Amino acid sequence: MNDRTEAVPPSAFTPGGRHRHRKPKQLGAGARRALVLAMAVPVASAALAGPSAFAANGNTTATTPDAAPATDEDLGPADQAIAANLDTRVNDARLGGNVSGVVLDAESDSTVWDHNGATALMPASNTKLATATAALTVLGPEHRFKTKVVYGDGTLTLVGGGDRTLTTADLAEMAKDAVAGLKAAGLTTVKVAVDDSLFSDSTQANGWKPDYFPGDVAPVRALVVDGHAVNDTSIDAGQVFAKQLADAGVTVDGEVTRRTADITDVPVARHRSAPLSDIVHRMIKVSDNNIAETLLRMTALGAGQPATFEGGTAVVRDVLSRRYGVSLENFQIYDGSGLSRANRIPARTLAEILDLLTEKRYEHLLSSIRDGLPVAGEAGSTLGPEWGRFDDENSKCAVGKVHAKTGTLTGAIALSGLTVGKDGRWKVFSFVENDSTANNSAIKDAMDGLAATVNGCWA
């Protein structure tokens, strides 16, 4: 089962002490607090623009973290309390014996606590953190996806551009423009076709269950309307478009078909999506699998790779390792959503990805991930009370204080995010468990308790 709720307005916050634990600094604590880095320009590096950036097998050289866990003498009193409490609470029977966990201090670049942090476990929807980071880096937060209508040989063709947020209202506006063009040309009858050739034929990722289609995730196509969970989202969108034409008095000749738009076809209408930053925000907030898989393909295309699971995951690896220096030791992903049961990501890697969100230089580029993180107790998010999160005696003190991405599959639960500790400093944490025999509600209560421990409200 995957995380799924409705979108809610953003809950903006700005972590302090944005520094990377992977590259220890020589600055003192006071200087670190004062350091402000220039914001990054949201464009992909030249290394991501062509196939030469990728190894032949789609893998890249893994890097290893260079920050070892701090000793008790290195930690302040608040961090010592976090580490001591987590040492005890990670052994909660509800979590089982297969747990990976890491806590970082964003300002001091130190590892506060590490429990099998390099052990790669099934991360479920925490995979979306990697997908979102790559998409924003390659495409840029202001990128918009384009859907268009072209006319040729008596046919209006609706051309998909990878916009998973396209709505009936958007199609209605395009139909209005198309009808105006037809009438101006004296045409009252037209054929309707769809062109979803931007993506390869839809397939299932390695590790997907056969019954995932279309409930947990729809077949990944370049054209869809209103997020309809149907097997052929492109033809479905074309049928919605055809009905709007008919309602406007245009006779639609025959059924909606597939065709590849010709270069000589005349553009008659176009729609641009909201900025990618808004789409990523929604994907993270409600853990939308379909958006994640579409973004994986659009990211691949943006980096000059095929719009496939393999092309997309190769770009994700390249962005994380080459652009950001994130450790890919024991890292394996086969999709963008985290539905794959073959995915393996260590808590250490997830924490390193989240740590990027605490750096000022990535503020403009990656802030939509940070702002999209569900907040403990936030109704309408995957950490809302309707999901039974942060509502027991140990974790309810952290309501409004923990910002974290959830992850839920049969046999895997993850929680990775940010919170301010008792010392007033931002802590980055990641907890992943696999194979616990407890029920999901009990596991999540225990996991929420770990996050409350990092916050320090459960002392």
Side-chain angles (χ1 to χ4, degrees), residues 31-44:
R32 279 194 297 267
R33 292 188 187 97
L35 184 62
V36 178
L37 299 173
M39 293 189 293
V41 177
V43 294

Side-chain angles (χ1 to χ4, degrees), residues 128-453:
K128 293 182 176 75
L129 295 170
T131 303
T133 302
L136 290 165
T137 302
V138 171
L139 301 173
E142 301 304 320
H143 183 83
R144 296 172 187 261
F145 304 110
K146 301 178 183 66
T147 305
K148 61 184 181 179
V149 178
V150 298
Y151 178 83
D153 295 328
T155 302
L156 282 177
T157 302
L158 181 62
V159 183
D163 179 7
R164 203 60 182 57
T165 63
L166 189 72
T167 67
T168 293
D170 299 330
L171 286 184
E173 286 298 314
M174 286 192 286
K176 181 179 177 181
D177 291 341
V179 169
L182 291 172
K183 290 183 177 179
L187 299 172
T188 59
T189 300
V190 71
K191 295 180 184 294
V192 173
V194 295
D195 180 351
D196 60 0
S197 60
L198 186 65
F199 295 171
S200 305
D201 288 343
S202 179
T203 60
Q204 296 230 15
N206 178 25
W208 279 15
K209 291 183 176 180
D211 62 356
Y212 278 170
F213 284 168
D216 291 307
V217 63
V220 189
R221 304 186 191 279
L223 181 60
V224 63
V225 63
D226 294 333
H228 287 168
V230 296
N231 281 317
D232 196 331
T233 61
S234 301
I235 292 295
D236 174 69
Q239 290 169 342
V240 172
F241 182 65
K243 183 179 184 303
Q244 291 168 332
L245 294 174
D247 290 344
V250 173
T251 299
V252 176
D253 182 11
E255 300 295 320
V256 176
T257 60
R258 267 189 173 81
R259 73 181 285 264
T260 301
D262 194 276
I263 193 171
T264 60
D265 287 351
V266 178
V268 296
R270 185 182 73 165
H271 171 74
R272 300 174 73 226
S273 72
L276 176 59
S277 57
D278 291 355
I279 295 172
V280 165
H281 182 281
R282 172 180 169 78
M283 178 188 75
I284 295 295
K285 185 70 70 176
V286 303
S287 202
D288 191 303
N289 295 323
N290 291 299
I291 290 177
E293 296 305 341
T294 301
L295 289 186
L296 186 73
R297 279 159 176 72
M298 295 305 293
T299 301
L301 290 173
Q305 297 300 302
T308 61
F309 289 111
E310 295 77 14
T313 55
V315 175
V316 171
R317 293 180 61 89
D318 201 76
V319 168
L320 293 179
S321 62
R322 294 175 186 259
R323 174 71 168 84
Y324 297 113
V326 169
S327 169
L328 295 188
E329 184 178 11
N330 304 321
F331 177 95
Q332 300 178 55
I333 62 168
Y334 298 92
D335 68 2
S337 63
L339 283 172
S340 175
R341 302 188 65 79
N343 288 353
R344 296 292 183 271
I345 304 180
R348 164 67 63 175
T349 298
L350 292 168
E352 289 188 11
I353 294 171
L354 284 163
D355 191 39
L356 299 173
L357 309 183
T358 71
E359 295 194 51
K360 184 64 178 178
R361 56 179 161 173
Y362 303 133
E363 168 74 16
H364 177 68
L365 197 63
L366 304 178
S367 62
S368 58
I369 302 175
R370 184 198 69 204
D371 295 341
L373 290 173
V375 181
E378 179 186 17
S381 79
T382 56
L383 283 182
E386 63 269 38
W387 296 96
R389 303 306 298 259
F390 289 87
D391 62 355
D392 72 4
E393 61 180 355
N394 297 321
S395 64
K396 62 184 179 183
C397 63
V399 167
K401 302 175 183 178
V402 168
H403 306 250
K405 181 70 193 76
T406 56
T408 307
L409 283 175
T410 301
I413 291 181
L415 186 67
S416 302
L418 304 165
T419 189
V420 176
K422 279 288 188 182
D423 56 5
R425 294 151 67 111
W426 283 94
K427 312 299 177 184
V428 181
F429 65 85
S430 177
F431 305 112
V432 185
E433 74 77 24
N434 284 185
D435 306 321
S436 171
T437 57
N439 65 57
N440 276 5
S441 179
I443 298 170
K444 290 174 181 178
D445 283 345
M447 196 79 77
D448 294 348
L450 297 183
T453 301

Side-chain angles (χ1 to χ4, degrees), residues 27-78:
L27 299 175
R32 279 194 297 267
R33 292 188 187 97
L35 184 62
V36 178
L37 299 173
M39 293 189 293
V41 177
V43 294
S45 66
L48 296 176
S52 61
F54 301 89
N57 62 0
N59 294 327
T60 55
T61 303
T63 60
T64 55
D66 56 13
T71 64
D72 286 345
E73 290 75 17
D74 296 328
L75 298 177

